[in-house]
């Protein structure tokens, strides 16, 4: 049976996402995102499930940095979860003075906490479920968690369906070693790369223009410090399409030509099923026809 590590402990949102993506794989909780990624790199598990972006709070830095550094890993699937929180306390809780959770969760319930627990101090925990564990251990008074955490930990449910922004969602990735075969293209796919653009005028614009000129629609652009030199950035770029498509292969080759420091982070079906936009003259058939024409000209068969 294959093994999938997920950002745990048991009862995180990531466990819910891993269950959606796992099939019949064995799920193994791991305390941090870097540890989940390193379990894949070491071959201790076949894949890892990690959160990558949230519609309210944006990117999950530990995942982006973890994918940009060390041995390459490639995303082979994604899941999109609606994010509404539960607030859990010990059954004997008195006054709530501290509320623990993952920073992304705390940021998404700030208004609710101000209105409902005005005196409580927010405290960052490594995950929502780690916060539940800490409440159980008496370290904090309340935890902001995924709804499933209440099934794992004997805590009292003080509130459910808590969210300052309705319809918030988090996207999760299933990442593997690069030798694992990529999923087939479906017409509703996402490709991700990270590129360390040179520190000179127009470098990022040049990379983006390779995608724009091929009619490729971006779905995300995030900058993170390169961490080695102050002022240097890595750009995480997601766009519609699959590396198996001629138009996407052509774009990736152009990006590589412009930037030796580009890393492929995966091509996989989109969880929302949105099909790629194909601009006039920028479909796969157009790329194939143009390449075939050049070959025919070179072979002296046409002009
Ligand atoms: O801590 C968790 O439960 C996670 O899986 C990370 C997370 C935190 C907040 C919203 C979505 C995912």
């Amino acid at each position: 049976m294959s093994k999938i590590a997920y950002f745990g402990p048991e009862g995180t949102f990531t466990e819910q996402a891993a269950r959606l993506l796992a099939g019949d794989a064995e799920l193994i909780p791991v305390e941090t995102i870097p540890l989940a990624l390193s379990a894949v790199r070491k071959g201790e598990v076949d894949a890892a499930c990690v959160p990558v972006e949230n519609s309210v709070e944006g990117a999950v830095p530990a995942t982006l940095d973890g994918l940009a550094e060390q041995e390459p890993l490639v995303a082979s699937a994604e899941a999109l979860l609606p994010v509404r929180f539960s607030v859990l306390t010990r059954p004997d809780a008195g006054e709530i003075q501290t509320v623990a959770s993952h920073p992304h969760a705390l940021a998404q319930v700030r208004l609710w906490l101000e209105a409902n627990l005005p005196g409580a101090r927010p405290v960052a925990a490594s995950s929502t479920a780690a916060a539940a564990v800490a409440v159980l251990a008496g370290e904090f008074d309340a935890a902001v968690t995924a709804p499933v955490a209440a099934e794992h930990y004997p805590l009292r449910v003080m509130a459910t369906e808590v969210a300052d922004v309705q319809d918030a969602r988090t996207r999760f990735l299933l990442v593997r070693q690069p030798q694992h075969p990529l999923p087939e293209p479906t017409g509703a796919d996402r490709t991700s790369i990270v590129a360390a653009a040179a520190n000179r005028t127009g470098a990022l614009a040049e990379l983006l223009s390779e995608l724009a000129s091929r009619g490729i629609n971006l779905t995300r652009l995030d900058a993170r410090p390169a961490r080695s030199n102050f002022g240097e950035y890595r750009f995480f770029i997601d766009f519609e399409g699959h590396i198996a498509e001629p138009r996407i292969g052509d774009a990736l080759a152009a990006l590589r030509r412009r930037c030796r420091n580009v890393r492929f982070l995966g091509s996989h079906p989109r969880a929302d099923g949105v099909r790629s936009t194909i601009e006039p003259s920028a479909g796969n058939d157009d790329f194939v026809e143009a390449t075939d024409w050049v070959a025919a000209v070179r072979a002296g068969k046409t002009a």
Side-chain angles (χ1 to χ4, degrees), residues 62-203:
T63 297
L64 297 192
D65 293 342
L67 293 176
E69 291 167 6
Q70 301 176 43
E71 292 305 302
L73 294 171
V74 167
S76 61
E78 68 175 31
L80 201 55
L81 285 188
V83 175
R84 281 181 293 277
F85 300 92
S86 295
V87 180
L88 309 185
T89 61
R90 279 183 306 284
D92 60 347
E95 191 194 348
I96 307 290
Q97 293 182 333
T98 49
V99 184
S101 197
H102 187 276
H104 269 212
L106 290 172
Q108 288 178 66
V109 299
R110 196 174 49 80
L111 298 179
W112 187 92
L113 290 177
E114 276 170 21
N116 295 277
L117 292 172
R121 180 167 58 88
V123 187
S126 62
S127 70
T128 56
V133 171
V135 169
L136 207 52
E139 292 168 36
F140 309 112
D141 301 321
V144 177
T145 69
V148 288
E151 293 162 27
H152 288 283
Y153 305 103
L155 291 167
R156 186 172 73 87
V157 181
M158 180 184 166
T160 58
E161 303 289 314
V162 173
D164 292 349
V165 178
Q166 298 306 314
D167 205 27
R169 289 163 193 221
T170 298
R171 193 161 65 88
F172 299 82
L173 298 177
L174 190 68
V175 300
R176 302 177 181 274
Q177 292 197 8
Q179 62 268 29
H180 188 275
L182 291 173
E184 294 293 318
T186 64
D189 304 292
R190 190 189 317 278
T191 291
S192 307
I193 60 156
V194 54
N199 186 2
R200 62 173 171 73
T201 310

Side-chain angles (χ1 to χ4, degrees), residues 23 25 54 148 184 230 264:
N54 176 272
V148 288
E184 294 293 318
F230 184 77
F264 174 68

Side-chain angles (χ1 to χ4, degrees), residues 193-267:
I193 60 156
V194 54
N199 186 2
R200 62 173 171 73
T201 310
L204 174 62
E206 284 170 11
L207 293 183
L208 297 181
S209 73
E210 296 293 357
L211 297 166
S213 64
R214 289 169 180 80
I216 295 170
N217 191 25
L218 297 194
T219 57
R220 186 169 69 105
L221 175 66
D222 263 311
R224 293 273 310 145
R227 305 214 281 187
S228 42
N229 287 320
F230 184 77
E232 286 192 7
Y233 286 86
R234 298 178 182 128
F235 297 96
F236 292 82
I237 309 173
D238 285 3
F239 44 89
E240 292 178 353
H242 192 292
I243 191 172
E245 294 179 63
R247 64 194 188 95
I248 302 297
D250 196 66
L252 286 170
L255 291 174
R256 169 75 183 179
R257 195 162 35 74
R258 289 208 187 258
C259 174
R260 282 295 152 133
N261 229 329
V262 64
R263 180 181 274 197
F264 174 68
L265 297 179
S267 285

